[in-house]
């Protein structure tokens, strides 16, 4: 029995292809894929907590904790005790972490630009609008 082609399956295939590309870019830079989310999040949100990263990524804080420990050992991240709440630690990228996160971000940004060039800005804007509408429908009607 053949599966019928559906919008959501097509979106899933595109998402998996993008995820594989992102993993490939990360590995080319010589960092484990598990570091990517922490690196990219801290690049945009310096001083975040492990809980912030876990909530963003949809994973447990203990999973983030293990990744952060490894990243500290490799000098990508430093922890700083929150002066307001001594129980919390804020995370910051080191210079090494900032350099590698910026490199990954720039490569992914260039890939995104290549996709825009391939489809054209008008088609891209139409697709974004349709996907936003789809997201709204799922959130309001299906959840």
């Amino acid at each position: 029995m053949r599966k019928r082609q559906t919008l959501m399956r097509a979106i899933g295939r595109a998402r998996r292809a993008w995820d594989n590309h992102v993993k490939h870019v990360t590995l080319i830079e010589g960092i484990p894929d598990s570091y990517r989310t922490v690196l990219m999040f801290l690049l945009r949100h310096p001083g975040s907590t492990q809980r912030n990263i876990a909530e963003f990524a949809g994973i447990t804080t203990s999973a983030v904790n293990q990744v952060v420990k490894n990243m500290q050992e490799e000098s990508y991240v430093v922890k700083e005790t929150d002066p307001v709440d001594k129980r919390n630690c804020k995370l910051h990228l080191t210079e090494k972490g900032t350099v590698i996160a910026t490199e990954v971000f720039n490569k992914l940004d260039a890939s995104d630009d290549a996709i825009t060039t391939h489809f054209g800005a008008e088609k891209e804007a139409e697709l974004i609008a349709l996907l936003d509408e789809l997201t709204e429908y799922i959130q309001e009607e299906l959840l």
Side-chain angles (χ1 to χ4, degrees):
M1 178 180 184
R2 274 182 88 209
K3 289 183 181 177
R4 68 184 180 96
Q5 293 295 323
T6 68
L7 174 63
M8 296 314 296
R9 286 188 182 126
I11 290 170
R13 286 190 304 273
R15 180 63 194 191
R16 283 188 298 280
W18 179 253
D19 287 346
N20 287 335
H21 172 69
V22 170
K23 287 177 186 177
H24 178 74
V25 168
T26 304
L27 291 174
I28 286 173
E29 291 303 316
I31 57 170
D33 189 56
S34 60
Y35 290 14
R36 179 179 39 86
T37 300
V38 175
L39 286 168
M40 303 308 285
F41 191 84
L42 290 177
L43 184 64
R44 293 185 183 110
H45 309 282
S48 294
T49 65
Q50 290 182 18
R51 182 182 307 269
N52 298 140
I53 296 167
E55 288 171 359
F56 170 78
I59 58 177
T60 64
T61 52
S62 60
V64 173
N65 184 46
Q66 186 57 50
V67 171
V68 168
K69 280 183 185 179
N70 293 341
M71 292 177 74
Q72 279 183 283
E73 290 172 6
E74 296 181 43
S75 302
Y76 288 111
V77 173
V78 293
K79 282 185 177 180
E80 169 187 286
T81 302
D82 186 342
V84 176
D85 184 353
K86 304 278 187 217
R87 296 171 295 170
N88 285 328
C89 288
K90 294 185 175 198
L91 301 173
H92 296 277
L93 294 176
T94 61
E95 184 177 338
K96 177 181 177 181
T98 300
V99 166
I100 199 75
T102 301
E103 187 63 31
V104 169
F105 181 83
N106 289 341
K107 285 185 177 185
L108 294 177
D109 203 32
S111 296
D112 216 2
D113 289 345
I115 291 169
T116 300
T117 299
H118 176 77
F119 284 100
E122 187 176 308
K123 278 187 177 178
E124 180 187 53
E126 289 174 28
L127 183 55
I128 290 169
L130 287 170
L131 290 172
D132 287 344
E133 184 179 335
L134 174 63
T135 301
E136 187 177 313
Y137 175 79
I138 291 170
Q139 291 172 337
E140 292 179 4
E141 302 295 328
L142 300 180
L143 292 179

